Amino acid sequence: MEKLRNSDTLKIISYILIPFLMLAIILGAIYIEYNSYNKEDLARGDYYKTDSFVYNEYYPNIQRIFRICSSIDEGIREQGEYYNSFVDNYVLVQETPTRIYYSQTYRSYYNGFNYIIIDESGTIFTNIQTENYNAKIEEMKNSEYYWYKENSTITSNLEQINDKGLAYNYGLENLKDTKNSKFSIYTAFDKEQPVTLKYRVNVAIYNFIANVGNMPIFAMSYSILMLFIIAVYLIWAIGHKKNKEGIYLSNFDNFSYGIIFIVVSIVIATFMTIGRECLANIDIFTLVIALISYLICYIACAVIGITTIKRLKARSFIKTTLTYKTCKWIKKKVKETSNLILWNKEITTKLIIYYISFLVISLFLIVATATTMGFCVILLLIFWALVLYLMLNYAKQLNNIKQNLKSIYEGKQEIKIETTNLEKNLKEMAEYINSLSLGLTKAVEESLKSERMKTQLITNVSHDIKTPLTSIINYVDLLKKEEMPNEKVKEYLRILDNKSQRLKRLTEDLVEASKATSGNIKLNIENINLKELIKQISGEFEDKFNEKNLELILQIPKEAVQIKADSRYLYRVIENMYTNIMKYALEGSRVYVDILKNNEKVQIELKNISKAKLNIKAEELMQRFVRGDTSRNTEGSGLGLSIAESLTKLQGGNFSIHLDGDLFKVVIEFIIK
Amino acid sequence: MYNILVCDDDKEIVNAIAIYLSKEGYNILKAYNGKEALKLIENNEIHLIILDIMMPEMDGMEVANEVRKTKSIPILMLSAKSEDYDKVAGLNNGADDYVTKPFNPIELIARVNSQIRRYTRLGTIADKEDENKNIFKTGELIINDDIKQATVEGKEIKLTPTEYNILKFLTKNKGKVYSIEQIYENVWDDEPYGADNIIAVHIRHIREKIEINPKEPKYLKVIWGIGYKIEKID
């Protein structure tokens, strides 16, 4: 298959075969035409008696003679001389007993057509030279093809133009009219005489068709089939070459199609005309020229056909047409000009220019519609549709940018807006957004990385602190069990014990806080009953609250409150809050813990009265190492709220602090799922 | 007289542990890196190893692995590494318990005692009493309903009647998680009433009585936001 496709030989054979096949088809067509229109002619068995010969050759000659006759009449009237007829140049060859005018030029023109005209005075006009004209007339009357008029009688052995033929043959009025003229006219056709190839070809075709039978029809059918196969093969194979992948395109195939088309059209038109002209007056020389002309036409057709198929197959047809190139060029120029006008202008200015252009073009088209009887209304509608399309397209692009901006706003950092097809202004905008997003992504990555490194650092440092701390705690503990020399030492030891314990907690909280804020925690999200959790933690803290004389009031819905969270970390958050309350609530006050539930959200509200004055903002409280009492005297690391907030956010919740006088309120919010 | 090997590259920590455990009546052997520890294990009869993880020459993990090849001595790992995955890695490498630094001496002693008891007391009484339907047991926690007595590692635990009922119920259904409400319904004879967190308070009290470290309970586990359970230990 591949070999067949790439074979040059096969293609060349195909190209050579095509003209022969077409010739066969043309001959077949001629045959069919002949057979259907010239049945009577074929029945006559003699080409020179056929309608086509008589009407096309013989009868025009007779008409010419009529014209000569009328010229002779006028010549008498105006000049008194016969030899200066406008039709033929007659030469007076004999004065007496009768005047005889002979025309040489006419001779060669008629090709075997002989005539003798005798006017009322007996003067002879002829294209034959002979001694005895009477004998010649007799000979003509007995020749194979003759037509003559004596007095007002027409005699002919050609049935189309004899008296009988005239009776029913429409279009021979000329002949009828001249029946009564004063001239006697003798004509005869001598088929031995003609030298023109045309006659011989016609006779040959006539004889061929009359004798050949059905053969041309078969030949034509086979040729059509063959031509079809070759066409399919060529369409399939054109463009493929040995050792070449895909469609092979030469420079010519990339050359402007329009120009090729015009050149080829001119060539074909020229040579077709030449060929046709040559065939009209056929002889050996013109036949050769005609053949060459048609061959050139064929080559031109082949050339444009091959390149068209190649271009269509390579899908480069539209791109290489001159129209496309012109359109592209115009588009580029328009863009350049508009850029020149609109460059660096404000969007408003551009908009005004666009709007004015729109109005002007619309107005122009409306006026044009009025003057061209509504023809331009289509153009107007197309223009409006185009404007609408452009506007919608613009809106679509704008919307796309908006969507992307929104997703950046919603926290998705990796945004890349496709800018290739955007309008210039929007493109600029999209590029700004892209680089903004890129910067944002980088910044987030950097900060995440640095948070991770911080966590790592804190974890490592805490390991290193813990080892000596272990010794401190242990030996302080051991010391406590020893006999102390006095109360003072005991007091010092108590402080040491206290502070070493606090250092221990601080290192632990530090690691946890850094993990929570950097998100370096693996969550195990499951269904949790918030009601259960609050009860459990309340139970854990009951004794401690009692010690501080705090009354815990729970307001919890009767039904279960299910949320999705990590049970351990949610416990850490609430536990942190309880610990805070235990530490900072005013002794003897009431503590409220409410679970508020609506359709979408559940809120845990923890409210207590602060022991110390809260001269601090809620936001500041949540920062690391900030505590309600600025003196920092109480125990605790100052990381509790920060850890709680981070852990809540990691679990998808919301953590907020509200201060109102001494009322300290924490609201932890989760979405019910 | 039981022999305990303490191995840590920090000499003061080793000494402190030695002081605490000597008071409890144990004989202490000291090592300051993994290789020394292995040598001592080779040449002495050791009943418990306290092992630091981060040590020069040979770290605690490798030592534990090496010991486990031939011996079933209890290993208690002691490390400043306090992440969950550190603990899991330690326990997977052959440790029986894991204590983080800085540790509470009382807790350490309790854990050491617990491990020694388990290691040295072969063929526990529980084996033959298993068939008794009124004895419920998980690990070293045993509840004998005939005499209304609860013991952990052989020590009797003093519980109030409510605490006893709750513990009995959970131990009977060890491994299963019960919410506060379910415990109410099963333990209380009456309908659940008023004080929402009374069960939670009881549970905390039980935990404080039966656990070495109530914040990291071994038996009575709290599943926050879901309920409570007694761990199933074979």
Side-chain angles (χ1 to χ4, degrees):
Chain A
M1 256 339 219
E2 198 63 23
K3 222 171 169 182
L4 210 64
R5 195 177 214 184
N6 294 336
S7 162
D8 281 339
T9 334
L10 209 57
K11 280 178 207 165
I12 290 168
I13 290 170
S14 304
Y15 293 138
I16 294 170
L17 268 178
I18 289 172
F20 289 103
L21 294 171
M22 281 171 78
L23 193 67
I25 292 167
I26 290 167
L27 286 178
I30 291 171
Y31 173 80
I32 289 167
E33 200 198 342
Y34 236 103
N35 256 327
S36 54
Y37 292 104
N38 297 25
K39 276 229 164 64
E40 277 176 47
D41 279 359
L42 284 174
R44 286 192 181 98
D46 181 358
Y47 171 73
Y48 296 105
K49 284 185 177 170
T50 62
D51 282 352
S52 61
F53 181 76
V54 174
Y55 287 134
N56 296 334
E57 305 296 337
Y58 207 117
Y59 177 61
N61 280 333
I62 294 170
Q63 278 186 314
R64 193 177 176 85
I65 287 164
F66 293 155
R67 281 203 296 282
I68 293 169
C69 291
S70 50
S71 300
I72 293 168
D73 265 356
E74 281 169 20
I76 292 165
R77 246 183 286 127
E78 287 164 18
Q79 295 169 347
E81 290 292 335
Y82 296 135
Y83 57 86
N84 204 13
S85 162
F86 76 96
V87 184
D88 292 323
N89 286 318
Y90 287 104
V91 182
L92 185 64
V93 289
Q94 187 186 321
E95 191 79 48
T96 50
T98 44
R99 291 158 76 112
I100 298 171
Y101 291 92
Y102 171 69
S103 167
Q104 184 65 47
T105 38
Y106 211 26
R107 162 87 253 149
S108 63
Y109 185 84
Y110 283 96
N111 286 327
F113 184 82
N114 300 327
Y115 70 86
I116 296 169
I117 305 167
I118 304 172
D119 74 356
E120 60 221 308
S121 65
T123 311
I124 293 171
F125 299 86
T126 183
N127 66 343
I128 327 162
Q129 265 188 317
T130 179
E131 294 295 312
N132 189 343
Y133 280 94
N134 285 332
K136 187 72 196 173
I137 286 166
E138 282 311 307
E139 191 192 308
M140 283 165 79
K141 277 182 177 174
N142 292 316
S143 70
E144 208 174 348
Y145 315 101
Y146 63 88
W147 180 94
Y148 66 90
K149 171 185 161 284
E150 273 179 326
N151 304 322
S152 53
T153 319
I154 286 171
T155 318
S156 174
N157 66 340
L158 299 168
E159 57 182 16
Q160 293 92 339
I161 44 174
N162 60 16
D163 262 352
K164 224 172 102 196
L166 288 182
Y168 56 85
N169 236 328
Y170 191 73
L172 294 178
E173 281 80 7
N174 214 346
L175 215 56
K176 292 175 195 162
D177 290 346
T178 43
K179 251 175 113 172
N180 297 321
S181 79
K182 55 201 171 176
F183 295 95
S184 293
I185 301 165
Y186 303 91
T187 67
F189 177 72
D190 182 358
K191 69 179 175 188
E192 301 306 323
Q193 232 182 50
V195 284
T196 352
L197 192 63
K198 186 177 155 190
Y199 290 135
R200 278 186 250 162
V201 169
N202 285 342
V203 171
I205 290 172
Y206 180 86
N207 287 337
F208 170 74
I209 288 164
N211 299 317
V212 81
N214 279 334
M215 201 267 273
I217 291 179
F218 290 118
M220 186 172 74
S221 312
Y222 287 125
S223 298
I224 288 172
L225 186 69
M226 194 68 190
L227 201 63
F228 179 73
I229 290 166
I230 286 174
V232 169
Y233 164 72
L234 284 176
I235 287 170
W236 173 62
I238 276 174
H240 292 277
K241 244 186 160 174
K242 217 174 182 177
N243 304 329
K244 288 260 163 57
E245 200 52 39
I247 305 296
Y248 171 74
L249 292 176
S250 64
N251 284 340
F252 178 75
D253 296 315
N254 288 321
F255 189 71
S256 169
Y257 190 80
I259 290 173
I260 293 172
F261 185 78
I262 290 166
V263 169
V264 166
S265 302
I266 291 169
V267 167
I268 290 175
T270 314
F271 283 96
M272 278 294 236
T273 320
I274 292 172
R276 209 172 42 240
E277 286 303 313
C278 287
L279 282 184
N281 229 327
I282 205 158
D283 60 38
I284 291 289
F285 178 65
T286 54
L287 189 69
V288 169
I289 289 179
L291 280 176
I292 290 169
S293 301
Y294 285 128
L295 196 63
I296 289 169
C297 288
Y298 166 68
I299 290 166
C301 282
V303 163
I304 197 158
I306 290 165
T307 188
T308 307
I309 291 167
K310 272 187 178 180
R311 284 165 203 229
L312 284 173
K313 280 171 89 172
R315 299 185 196 290
S316 66
F317 182 73
I318 304 238
K319 278 181 199 162
T320 51
T321 57
L322 193 64
T323 356
Y324 176 81
K325 282 183 177 168
T326 318
C327 284
K328 210 170 162 189
W329 182 81
I330 289 171
K331 199 180 158 194
K332 196 178 140 206
K333 283 287 153 196
V334 166
K335 210 169 178 182
E336 274 174 17
T337 338
S338 64
N339 275 351
L340 207 66
I341 299 168
L342 299 172
W343 175 248
N344 239 353
K345 292 272 194 311
E346 283 296 315
I347 290 179
T348 34
T349 323
K350 284 183 193 175
L351 205 62
I352 289 167
I353 293 171
Y354 285 144
Y355 188 66
I356 291 171
S357 314
F358 171 74
L359 285 183
V360 166
I361 294 171
S362 294
L363 205 65
F364 172 77
L365 286 173
I366 288 167
V367 172
T369 305
T371 51
T372 57
M373 312 282 283
F375 171 70
C376 280
V377 82
I378 297 160
L379 279 179
L380 185 66
L381 289 177
I382 289 170
F383 175 65
W384 282 351
L386 187 74
V387 170
L388 181 68
Y389 168 76
L390 288 174
M391 270 159 61
L392 288 177
N393 197 30
Y394 192 87
K396 196 177 131 203
Q397 293 170 13
L398 202 62
N399 208 29
N400 178 30
I401 290 172
K402 192 184 135 193
Q403 290 294 336
N404 280 305
L405 256 179
K406 198 180 161 205
S407 49
I408 291 177
Y409 166 74
E410 281 168 352
K412 197 178 157 208
Q413 286 115 21
E414 279 158 49
I415 294 293
K416 179 106 178 57
I417 306 172
E418 190 55 53
T419 56
T420 39
N421 291 324
L422 292 181
E423 190 268 339
K424 210 176 127 281
N425 282 305
L426 294 179
K427 193 174 176 173
E428 225 172 291
M429 205 156 114
E431 272 160 5
Y432 291 146
I433 292 169
N434 279 346
S435 54
L436 195 73
S437 154
L438 198 71
L440 206 64
T441 314
K442 264 190 187 162
V444 169
E445 266 172 21
E446 299 254 303
S447 91
L448 270 180
K449 201 173 144 196
S450 82
E451 278 290 339
R452 264 202 297 277
M453 279 176 69
K454 233 194 284 181
T455 311
Q456 195 106 46
L457 185 73
I458 289 169
T459 316
N460 288 340
V461 167
S462 85
H463 286 161
D464 290 343
I465 293 171
K466 275 176 188 170
T467 311
L469 193 58
T470 311
S471 288
I472 294 170
I473 290 172
N474 288 340
Y475 284 99
V476 166
D477 188 62
L478 285 172
L479 261 184
K480 267 159 63 184
K481 286 167 186 162
E482 297 296 323
E483 276 297 314
M484 286 296 142
N486 55 45
E487 280 303 305
K488 229 178 182 177
V489 177
K490 265 190 182 168
E491 173 61 17
Y492 295 163
L493 199 56
R494 196 190 60 75
I495 294 168
L496 272 181
D497 188 27
N498 212 340
K499 297 301 164 188
S500 61
Q501 290 296 338
R502 205 175 131 194
L503 193 58
K504 177 191 166 191
R505 210 165 26 247
L506 194 64
T507 51
E508 281 165 359
D509 281 1
L510 201 60
V511 173
E512 186 157 6
S514 96
K515 279 201 296 188
T517 45
S518 66
N520 217 340
I521 280 177
K522 239 190 183 171
L523 290 175
N524 180 23
I525 301 289
E526 56 193 338
N527 271 322
I528 285 174
N529 185 359
L530 211 52
K531 192 180 148 189
E532 184 89 9
L533 181 72
I534 295 293
K535 279 190 192 174
Q536 285 175 327
I537 295 172
S538 301
E540 296 290 317
F541 277 86
E542 174 147 311
D543 291 354
K544 286 175 188 164
F545 278 17
N546 286 343
E547 269 171 39
K548 299 245 170 172
N549 206 8
L550 293 168
E551 190 185 342
L552 177 66
I553 295 168
L554 296 181
Q555 287 178 326
I556 298 177
K558 282 221 170 74
E559 72 280 5
V561 183
Q562 296 286 352
I563 60 164
K564 282 206 188 287
D566 180 298
S567 107
R568 260 176 56 198
Y569 288 113
L570 188 58
Y571 158 70
R572 286 284 289 134
V573 171
I574 312 280
E575 189 233 11
N576 252 332
M577 293 306 99
Y578 271 67
T579 310
N580 261 357
I581 290 167
M582 195 187 76
K583 282 182 199 162
Y584 302 117
L586 183 68
E587 287 191 19
S589 65
R590 274 182 285 272
V591 176
Y592 292 86
V593 175
D594 304 342
I595 297 179
L596 306 170
K597 192 185 160 193
N598 61 30
N599 288 335
E600 293 153 19
K601 284 176 182 172
V602 58
Q603 287 184 333
I604 310 160
E605 273 191 17
L606 303 109
K607 288 176 280 193
N608 69 286
I609 302 296
S610 172
K611 186 159 48 180
K613 231 200 287 179
L614 294 170
N615 49 2
I616 192 167
K617 280 182 188 150
E619 299 82 51
E620 284 179 74
L621 261 179
M622 274 198 279
Q623 285 168 13
R624 290 181 221 177
F625 303 113
V626 173
R627 273 174 290 156
D629 57 333
T630 33
S631 61
R632 293 186 165 233
N633 265 336
T634 45
E635 54 180 325
S637 58
L639 290 168
L641 286 174
S642 165
I643 292 173
E645 190 205 7
S646 301
L647 286 178
T648 310
K649 281 190 175 159
L650 277 177
Q651 294 173 77
N654 199 12
F655 184 96
S656 57
I657 293 174
H658 307 271
L659 302 180
D660 188 0
D662 283 343
L663 178 70
F664 182 86
K665 183 164 93 173
V666 173
V667 179
I668 300 167
E669 199 174 66
F670 279 95
I671 292 167
I672 296 176
K673 288 181 182 157
Chain B
M1 207 54 166
Y2 297 116
N3 293 331
I4 295 177
L5 172 65
V6 181
C7 179
D8 196 317
D9 59 329
D10 189 319
K11 285 183 184 175
E12 275 67 44
I13 291 179
V14 174
N15 288 334
I17 295 170
I19 293 167
Y20 284 120
L21 294 180
S22 299
K23 278 182 188 167
E24 292 291 310
Y26 294 110
N27 183 30
I28 308 300
L29 286 86
K30 296 173 186 172
Y32 302 108
N33 63 50
K35 281 188 175 164
E36 279 179 42
L38 283 179
K39 228 177 251 173
L40 284 170
I41 294 164
E42 194 87 351
N43 303 326
N44 295 284
E45 197 203 347
I46 308 282
H47 297 97
L48 180 91
I49 305 166
I50 296 176
L51 200 56
D52 183 25
I53 293 180
M54 290 182 290
M55 285 188 298
E57 302 228 17
M58 191 176 191
D59 74 15
M61 297 284 185
E62 287 175 69
V63 175
N65 266 328
E66 202 57 40
V67 171
R68 277 288 166 269
K69 278 180 188 167
T70 52
K71 293 187 167 71
S72 62
I73 310 165
I75 297 172
L76 195 153
M77 275 194 177
L78 189 64
S79 174
K81 288 186 170 182
S82 55
E83 304 299 317
D84 286 347
Y85 54 80
D86 296 323
K87 292 178 187 172
V88 170
L91 294 172
N92 282 344
N93 271 293
D96 296 283
D97 208 344
Y98 195 103
V99 177
T100 56
K101 287 179 191 172
F103 55 86
N104 182 348
I106 298 162
E107 187 188 341
L108 183 71
I109 291 163
R111 286 185 188 275
V112 166
N113 287 340
S114 158
Q115 290 296 339
I116 290 283
R117 260 202 305 280
R118 263 180 70 80
Y119 182 57
T120 54
R121 207 176 54 203
L122 297 162
T124 53
I125 42 157
D127 284 344
K128 49 193 173 202
E129 287 172 20
D130 241 8
E131 287 138 36
N132 189 333
K133 277 181 185 168
N134 286 328
I135 288 178
F136 312 110
K137 173 177 177 270
T138 182
E140 293 292 304
L141 171 68
I142 299 156
I143 290 168
N144 188 337
D145 205 28
D146 287 338
I147 50 169
K148 305 280 176 202
Q149 190 198 46
T151 54
V152 174
E153 282 149 8
K155 272 198 274 182
E156 195 193 332
I157 309 290
K158 286 194 176 108
L159 296 167
T160 67
T162 315
E163 285 166 7
Y164 176 78
N165 282 338
I166 294 169
L167 186 62
K168 189 186 84 183
F169 168 70
L170 289 174
T171 312
K172 212 165 127 185
N173 301 294
K174 59 187 173 187
K176 284 187 194 164
V177 181
Y178 289 93
S179 71
I180 288 173
E181 232 163 282
Q182 285 168 321
I183 294 171
Y184 248 134
E185 284 161 12
N186 285 291
V187 174
W188 246 253
D189 291 334
D190 303 329
E191 283 290 291
Y193 72 92
D196 274 327
N197 47 6
I198 189 146
I199 289 287
V201 176
H202 283 306
I203 295 273
R204 189 172 54 79
H205 288 157
I206 298 167
R207 234 168 50 225
E208 278 162 4
K209 286 173 182 173
I210 67 168
E211 300 287 353
I212 293 167
N213 180 359
K215 286 196 173 152
E216 284 178 48
K218 183 180 171 189
Y219 297 109
L220 212 179
K221 297 251 162 107
V222 188
I223 294 114
W224 300 106
I226 296 168
Y228 303 97
K229 71 165 177 180
I230 287 284
E231 194 75 49
K232 194 174 180 179
I233 307 166
D234 293 322

